Amino acid sequence: MEFTVSKTDLARELGLSQGVVEKKTTIPILSNVLVEAGDGQVQITATDLELGIRCSCPAKVTKRGSGTIPARRLLDYVRLLPDADLQVKMLDNQWASLVCGRSRTRIAGMSRESYPELPVMPDPMVNIPAGLLSSMIKRTGFAISSEESRFTLNGALLLLKADGIIMVSTDGHRLALTESKLDLPAIGAQFRALLPKKAMVELEKLDSEAAADSVVRFSGDENHLFFDFGQRLLLSRKLTGNFPDFDRVLPKDVPRSVELNRDELRGSLERVSQFADERSRSIRLHVGPGEVKIHSSISDTGESEESVPVDYDGPEMEIGFNAQYLLEFLRAVETGTVSLHFKDPNSAGELRPVGSSTIYRYVVMPMRI
Amino acid sequence: MGKIRILSDQIANKIAAGEVVERPASVVKELLENSMDAGAMTVRIDVEAGGRRLIRIADDGCGMLRDDALLAFERHATSKLSDAKDLLAIATLGFRGEALPSIASVSRLRLETRADGDSTGTRVEIAGGRLLRCEDVPAPRGTSIEVADLFFNVPARKKFLRSEQTELAHVASLVTHYGLARPEKAFLLNHGRSTLLDLPPVETLRERVYQVFGSRMLEDLIELEPAERGLEAASDEDKPLSFRLRGFVSAPSVQKLNRNSIYLFVNGRLIRDRLLLHALSAAYYNLMPPACFPVALLFIDCDFEEVDVNVHPAKTEVRFRHGSFVHDFVRDTVREALIAAKPAAAMPMPPRPPQPGEGLPYSEFSQRIEAGAFAAPETPAGPDSAPGKPAAGFDLRPPQAPPRRLEFDPPVARPDLDPKPVLHRAPDSHSLLPDGLPLADASLASLSDLHPLGQLHDSFIIAAGRDGLWIIDQHVAHERILFEQVLEQQAEGRAESQRLLMPLVVRLTPSQQIEFARIAAEMERSGFECEPFGNRTLAIKAVPAGVSPADAESLVSEILDVSEQELRQASADDLRRGMAASIACRAAIKINTRLDAAKIDWLLRQLAATSCPMSCPHGRPIALRYTTREILRSFHRI
């Protein structure tokens, strides 16, 4: 294998593969990237067996072929090279020779034969406009628990229906749901899959880098999900397990609500929660006529209170929440105004954006403080 | 003629001997107690063949006149009681007047004694309870009793004696006990021609502990400040009572698998008492894993009326008139001492060259003797002959009294700590360490000024302190912090709880269900919200804040199981502590979690603020310390 490629192109594509390459792998070959030179382009593949990414960039290929090179070392080195053409050649002993300007380097690679084969993408089911998935991930990704248990999964529910896409995530204390209306007649009844958290991170990266008017071709087989961006392909193993019945969790009866300025509320919460317990992050929201008071205290350390003006004349009520949970929503929501819906101190509260056509619902369970 | 007849004295004595004289060690005990009661300052004990062939105890006590010496072998003859009222306030170790006749009835006994001020001494010889001889002899002041051929006339009992080593171990441990109880007296124990124990008189208990157990053990022990607690008089007739406690307890990092290293003394008498053992375990609750026991030497002094020793002829059991008061007093005092001392676990270092005399801690000692390590005695290996080599098997080295340490109190400048030039001096670039490095401050109080250096394997915090290098287990450290927090919240009844989106339905075993019914209120107090949900199912609606939903199920099931094990009679306080420990464990930072510098700093500061930063609620140590001294030694700088 021998080809010449622009250093900038190669560094960019290698950078995308880093999130997938296993860092603490027990299988050495998985810390390598697979480099394949074909018709006028090179393909770079990385996988940790759960998640795979294949990127390509144009190259002048002198001799077709393939080889694997340690991912981290290759990227670190290529990044430092001057912006110029880089000549890559796979030697017979599985070493890669890199020549760029006056630099000559050889890196020990490994045989291509032991590199795992990625599953082949079936025909695309639907086309999704670029940027849509990444914005949905931004709204839900933070509510995924990092620990697995019976009803929380390390991933989000991806639900494709004929009239749109729904993404839901939960960690057992809160639930984030977002829906984008989209005409997807090809789906039929519905397509349901659990998307692992790690895949969501990579998907968000690829999707937000994609050209504005491009589309993502989506497909899924029994065990895998595929996202094809043209030059780049992300594929992920589906998570197995039952996602909880989110419809039952969404509060049906939330008689009271207040509208709050997002940045005011966020600032207040950030300040007040400095005086909340480090682990539980508990704060109290006191909703009263004309204002929402936010209060927290740690015995022996200090306490803090702020009020945010609101338009409210219902009964006074005090509800405890984990400030962290509220803040994560406020950092993700796009609109400048949000609404808080609640019933009583023991029932779920809900936050929603105000003045946006996007459907975004965030359910938070209260705390007893 | 009726069938019932009065037994002869000889038979009665033999029967009493069955209760009092069980084995050679019981003889030693009775005679040793007599010596103590006689005010002896020096006691020399010689045994042969584990005490089966010969036991000789010689003291310099008050001695006896000729008539007394004869009378002493009559049953129920004693100088220690005069009327029944005395029984209520026994100040002497012995009081029953049974020991001497009992021993005399099952052995060949020879007594030599001379009372203070008397010009001649007396010798009495008795075999199997029959007086053989009584004559005037020259004798030193005091009493010497030789008991030979124990059980020669009771073959059944003789058959039940254990091996020589076992019997010797019992004797040795007994002498050790009395040696500990009376540091001001000298004890010498010889077996055949070898000395097992040589305890010259010392002034403080601390020195005696050093003589008996050696310096290694002493490092792990915390001295209790002498504590005193008064008990209000119940009525006007009673005078107010006071109880005093002193002694040593071990750091929680010392964990023994049996109670053999717990020595309890009440008014100088060694006893085994379940009440006090329980008090001690309660003090270590949440500091030590269950089924582990500390090393302890506890001396309780109280008014003689307060404790009844007349429970069993062997006098190893006592009854306290105010049992629960004594229990709480011991528990609180020990716990406070542990909290105040905050002992840090040292790095487990390769053993240093053995200290002579160190080998005598009772249980290990006796086990080793039993294991036969005793068989290969005198290999005259000096204490310094094999540095670095782990202590070879037990070596009952002859005489070699433990080296007397020059000074006990402030170990400010131990002689070997002065950074004096070493043989192979390092080049100049290795300058000496600054003077005044605190090298021996083994307290976790210094946690607060630790300077975190980083994390090892994302699990252990490495920190530099004034006195060395510290390794702190982040999970158990956080567990301890949360544990105290949860306890505090429980006490104030304001446990924070987080509701779950969907109730978690848990299947219960039948016993868990019963347990739930019992402790439901306590669980709610700790921040749970659970509802029975049909038969043997429980819906968990809220869990204590900080516990992730992923852990909620196992947490509830653990709590219901734990309290089941802990015998149903566990007090509400124990229950709460157990629950708090479970909650803290689930909510704490896990190992394999990367922490940023601010978080590490926070953790250390919080840990320093806890009252017991030495071990987690399940008894694992939190912090290990690699002292500057040990670092210096490892680099051959001292």
Side-chain angles (χ1 to χ4, degrees):
Chain A
M1 179 185 70
E2 191 174 346
F3 62 88
T4 307
V5 68
S6 137
K7 172 254 171 180
T8 326
D9 285 354
L10 185 64
R12 187 187 61 235
E13 302 304 323
L14 280 173
L16 288 172
S17 67
Q18 293 303 308
V20 177
V21 173
E22 187 71 64
K23 307 240 162 23
K24 288 182 275 184
T25 183
T26 47
I27 311 172
I29 190 90
L30 294 185
S31 53
N32 285 14
V33 286
L34 172 66
V35 182
E36 293 166 298
D39 284 331
Q41 64 166 11
V42 285
Q43 272 193 343
I44 295 162
T45 307
T47 181
D48 64 356
L49 300 180
E50 294 288 320
L51 194 62
I53 189 169
R54 179 174 291 150
C55 308
S56 53
C57 60
K60 205 165 76 198
V61 177
T62 345
K63 190 178 160 198
R64 291 153 165 266
S66 58
T68 76
I69 308 173
R72 187 80 233 171
R73 187 168 297 278
L74 181 63
L75 174 64
D76 288 350
Y77 174 70
V78 170
R79 266 198 191 131
L80 297 172
L81 288 172
D83 285 339
D85 278 354
L86 169 69
Q87 197 187 47
V88 181
K89 187 178 174 186
M90 211 68 201
L91 306 176
D92 288 342
N93 58 358
Q94 306 298 345
W95 284 55
S97 140
L98 279 66
V99 179
C100 177
R102 301 169 70 88
S103 328
R104 285 155 192 284
T105 298
R106 294 199 306 151
I107 304 178
M110 289 170 87
S111 158
R112 186 237 183 285
E113 274 67 49
S114 44
Y115 202 82
E117 277 304 327
L118 297 190
V120 181
M121 177 169 174
D123 289 337
M125 294 159 70
V126 290
N127 288 347
I128 302 166
L132 185 76
L133 287 171
S134 56
S135 66
M136 293 179 84
I137 292 172
K138 277 196 192 96
R139 285 181 222 130
T140 54
F142 59 85
I144 297 175
S145 123
S146 50
E147 290 157 79
E148 198 173 336
S149 84
R150 214 167 60 183
F151 69 18
T152 60
L153 295 148
N154 304 328
L157 174 72
L158 181 65
L159 189 58
L160 282 78
K161 299 189 298 182
D163 64 343
I165 303 175
I166 296 176
M167 197 179 277
V168 193
S169 66
T170 179
D171 67 356
H173 290 163
R174 57 201 168 139
L175 177 141
L177 174 145
T178 181
E179 181 171 355
S180 298
K181 292 293 174 198
L182 200 63
D183 218 13
L184 303 173
I187 285 297
Q190 64 169 23
F191 178 88
R192 210 181 149 96
L194 294 176
L195 187 59
K197 186 169 187 171
K198 195 174 171 189
M200 291 170 77
V201 174
E202 298 305 317
L203 180 59
E204 189 193 337
K205 228 188 285 175
L206 293 182
D207 193 47
S208 47
E209 279 196 13
D213 49 355
S214 63
V215 292
V216 186
R217 282 181 289 279
F218 169 78
S219 182
D221 65 17
E222 208 165 306
N223 296 317
H224 302 92
L225 299 171
F226 300 85
F227 301 87
D228 182 4
F229 294 85
Q231 294 298 301
R232 296 165 189 159
L233 169 76
L234 182 78
L235 58 101
S236 164
R237 194 188 284 271
K238 278 185 193 171
L239 269 186
T240 51
N242 289 324
F243 199 82
D245 183 1
F246 62 88
D247 251 348
R248 269 179 42 204
V249 173
L250 294 173
K252 306 283 181 294
D253 171 30
V254 273
R256 292 172 250 289
S257 71
V258 287
E259 291 194 358
L260 296 124
N261 178 296
R262 177 191 63 185
D263 297 330
E264 269 179 24
L265 179 60
R266 182 175 155 178
S268 299
L269 280 171
E270 278 169 348
R271 287 183 292 272
V272 170
S273 65
Q274 294 301 308
F275 296 90
D277 180 86
E278 192 85 9
R279 178 81 187 173
S280 69
R281 313 282 284 157
S282 57
I283 50 115
R284 293 163 210 261
L285 292 188
H286 184 96
V287 190
E291 61 174 3
V292 172
K293 271 193 240 163
I294 305 160
H295 173 85
S296 71
S297 69
I298 320 178
S299 49
D300 316 335
T301 306
E303 58 180 336
S304 175
E305 184 179 285
E306 286 201 20
S307 79
V308 181
V310 291
D311 190 13
Y312 177 78
D313 55 4
E316 292 199 23
M317 201 166 289
E318 188 172 272
I319 313 179
F321 283 113
N322 181 327
Q324 189 63 32
Y325 292 171
L326 303 184
L327 281 169
E328 281 173 346
F329 170 82
L330 295 173
R331 285 175 193 140
V333 72
E334 291 105 341
T335 60
T337 309
V338 297
S339 58
L340 170 67
H341 305 257
F342 55 93
K343 183 181 167 200
D344 59 52
N346 288 321
S347 306
E350 187 180 333
L351 284 161
R352 289 183 204 161
V354 173
S356 157
S357 59
T358 325
I359 300 170
Y360 186 14
R361 304 179 66 178
Y362 184 62
V363 183
V364 196
M365 293 309 288
M367 295 182 76
R368 187 182 77 194
I369 302 171
Chain B
M1 191 179 150
K3 288 178 182 168
I4 297 195
R5 67 191 78 103
I6 304 251
L7 296 178
S8 74
D9 267 4
Q10 221 166 339
I11 299 178
N13 279 340
K14 268 195 183 179
I15 292 174
E19 290 170 344
V20 178
V21 186
E22 203 183 343
R23 58 190 345 160
S26 352
V27 175
V28 176
K29 177 180 187 307
E30 296 298 335
L31 300 183
L32 207 53
E33 287 184 350
N34 284 346
S35 296
M36 298 293 108
D37 289 340
M41 289 310 289
T42 306
V43 185
R44 178 192 164 113
I45 302 123
D46 294 280
V47 289
E48 281 175 25
R52 292 150 63 134
R53 193 184 310 142
L54 179 80
I55 300 168
R56 186 191 304 118
I57 297 189
D59 67 39
D60 60 353
C62 61
M64 285 180 281
L65 297 170
R66 185 186 171 108
D67 290 352
D68 283 353
L70 279 172
L71 199 57
F73 290 97
E74 293 298 321
R75 214 148 95 83
H76 304 307
T78 183
S79 62
K80 300 171 188 179
L81 291 181
S82 52
D83 67 53
K85 261 193 288 180
D86 289 354
L87 254 188
L88 299 177
I90 292 164
T92 49
L93 294 171
F95 57 88
R96 297 170 60 98
E98 282 183 331
L100 275 182
S102 302
I103 295 168
S105 68
V106 294
S107 67
R108 300 181 211 279
L109 184 142
R110 180 157 72 169
L111 172 129
E112 282 178 20
T113 183
R114 180 171 70 84
D116 218 2
D118 206 4
S119 53
T120 54
T122 311
R123 175 189 292 164
V124 179
E125 283 182 35
I126 295 178
R130 296 217 334 268
L131 182 68
L132 300 182
R133 194 173 302 157
C134 174
E135 60 195 10
D136 284 354
V137 290
R141 174 180 177 270
T143 307
S144 152
I145 296 183
E146 239 181 71
V147 177
D149 298 334
L150 188 63
F151 299 136
F152 77 97
N153 53 351
V154 197
R157 190 47 80 88
K158 193 165 187 174
K159 237 169 67 185
F160 279 100
L161 285 181
R162 305 273 301 277
S163 71
E164 191 177 312
Q165 276 80 25
T166 312
E167 298 300 339
L168 179 62
H170 282 284
V171 172
S173 86
L174 198 99
V175 179
T176 309
H177 297 156
Y178 283 95
L180 288 168
R182 289 184 171 66
E184 74 283 358
K185 298 185 196 274
F187 292 85
L188 179 69
L189 172 64
N190 293 323
H191 182 245
R193 285 165 53 208
S194 59
T195 300
L196 292 185
L197 205 58
D198 180 10
L199 306 173
V202 287
E203 277 177 16
T204 63
L205 178 60
R206 193 179 169 79
E207 289 171 76
R208 179 52 58 90
V209 171
Y210 172 74
Q211 287 176 330
V212 174
F213 296 113
S215 61
R216 285 285 290 284
M217 177 76 130
L218 203 55
E219 279 171 19
D220 287 332
L221 291 179
I222 302 158
E223 185 159 10
L224 300 179
E225 292 290 317
E228 185 163 357
R229 189 186 280 187
L231 179 65
E232 290 292 311
S235 67
D236 293 340
E237 290 166 32
D238 296 343
K239 53 184 188 301
L241 300 161
S242 88
F243 290 85
R244 288 165 304 281
L245 178 67
R246 66 204 163 84
F248 290 86
V249 291
S250 60
S253 53
V254 181
Q255 295 171 359
K256 303 279 180 187
L257 293 174
N258 54 39
R259 296 190 175 88
N260 286 351
S261 307
I262 299 175
Y263 302 84
L264 304 171
F265 298 86
V266 173
N267 290 336
R269 177 194 309 278
L270 179 85
I271 54 145
R272 302 259 104 192
D273 184 63
R274 293 183 50 169
L275 180 84
L276 293 179
L277 286 173
H278 184 269
L280 192 64
S281 300
Y284 280 87
Y285 192 73
N286 289 129
L287 291 176
M288 206 178 255
C292 282
F293 303 94
V295 175
L297 284 169
L298 296 181
F299 294 89
I300 299 165
D301 295 303
C302 58
D303 295 323
F304 297 116
E305 299 97 65
E306 268 305 290
V307 50
D308 181 7
V309 292
N310 191 11
V311 177
H312 185 271
K315 291 170 289 192
T316 54
E317 286 172 40
V318 294
R319 296 233 171 90
F320 288 100
R321 264 177 68 195
H322 298 91
S324 62
F325 176 83
V326 175
H327 176 276
D328 292 356
F329 171 52
V330 170
R331 183 194 61 197
D332 297 347
T333 309
V334 172
R335 184 175 284 169
E336 276 158 27
L338 287 171
I339 289 174
K342 300 191 190 346
M347 253 348 141
M349 291 295 284
R352 277 170 254 157
Q355 292 264 6
E358 186 179 27
L360 282 176
Y362 162 51
S363 54
E364 290 86 349
F365 169 70
S366 44
Q367 281 156 15
R368 279 181 177 157
I369 291 189
E370 281 182 56
F374 179 67
E378 298 101 49
T379 342
D384 307 320
S385 64
K389 248 196 228 165
F394 187 69
D395 176 5
L396 277 180
R397 215 172 292 119
Q400 283 233 352
R404 300 286 293 279
R405 194 180 280 181
L406 295 174
E407 178 172 80
F408 257 92
D409 291 333
V412 188
R414 292 193 185 167
D416 58 338
L417 272 189
D418 294 329
K420 57 176 175 260
V422 197
L423 276 182
H424 304 284
R425 274 283 291 143
D428 285 336
S429 59
H430 299 119
S431 54
L432 291 173
L433 277 148
D435 287 336
L437 262 183
L439 296 178
D441 179 11
S443 160
L444 280 169
S446 46
L447 269 178
S448 48
D449 47 54
L450 286 188
H451 167 61
L453 303 174
Q455 245 180 325
L456 181 69
H457 303 317
D458 288 346
S459 303
F460 305 101
I461 297 169
I462 311 291
R466 280 183 306 121
D467 50 353
L469 184 73
W470 292 69
I471 303 180
I472 293 149
D473 183 326
Q474 64 193 37
H475 171 70
V476 292
H478 196 204
E479 205 176 329
R480 168 51 69 178
I481 297 166
L482 291 173
F483 174 68
E484 298 198 358
Q485 223 173 59
V486 172
L487 274 187
E488 194 182 312
Q489 290 178 354
Q490 275 175 350
E492 293 172 23
R494 51 163 193 88
E496 293 184 351
S497 78
Q498 165 76 55
R499 290 184 72 88
L500 300 176
L501 265 177
M502 284 150 279
L504 194 64
V505 179
V506 185
R507 291 280 294 165
L508 299 181
T509 64
S511 57
Q512 281 178 331
Q513 167 137 9
I514 298 167
E515 190 57 22
F516 174 73
R518 193 174 77 87
I519 66 168
E522 273 309 326
M523 286 181 72
E524 188 165 344
R525 215 180 144 85
S526 297
F528 287 96
E529 212 174 296
C530 303
E531 268 177 26
F533 189 70
N535 188 30
R536 282 175 44 199
T537 23
L538 198 62
I540 307 170
K541 293 188 159 173
V543 293
V547 175
S548 89
D551 289 325
E553 188 178 347
S554 45
L555 173 61
V556 167
S557 138
E558 179 182 308
I559 286 176
L560 292 178
D561 278 339
V562 160
S563 35
E564 183 189 352
Q565 290 166 6
E566 302 242 315
L567 308 170
R568 313 257 150 160
Q569 64 243 34
S571 69
D573 184 52
D574 289 349
L575 183 68
R576 255 174 238 167
R577 285 176 156 269
M579 212 180 292
S582 297
I583 294 170
C585 181
R586 301 295 165 155
I589 301 167
K590 305 281 186 289
I591 58 165
N592 272 320
T593 307
R594 183 162 300 230
L595 301 178
D596 56 31
K599 192 90 182 170
I600 292 178
D601 209 45
W602 174 85
L603 202 63
L604 292 182
R605 268 185 292 114
Q606 293 286 311
L607 181 63
T610 59
S611 59
C612 282
M614 51 275 197
S615 53
C616 88
H618 300 106
R620 282 176 293 180
I622 292 174
L624 292 178
R625 194 184 48 137
Y626 194 21
T627 60
T628 312
R629 187 177 172 208
E630 259 144 358
I631 295 171
L632 290 175
R633 183 183 293 142
S634 303
F635 283 119
H636 295 218
R637 282 174 162 272
I638 54 172

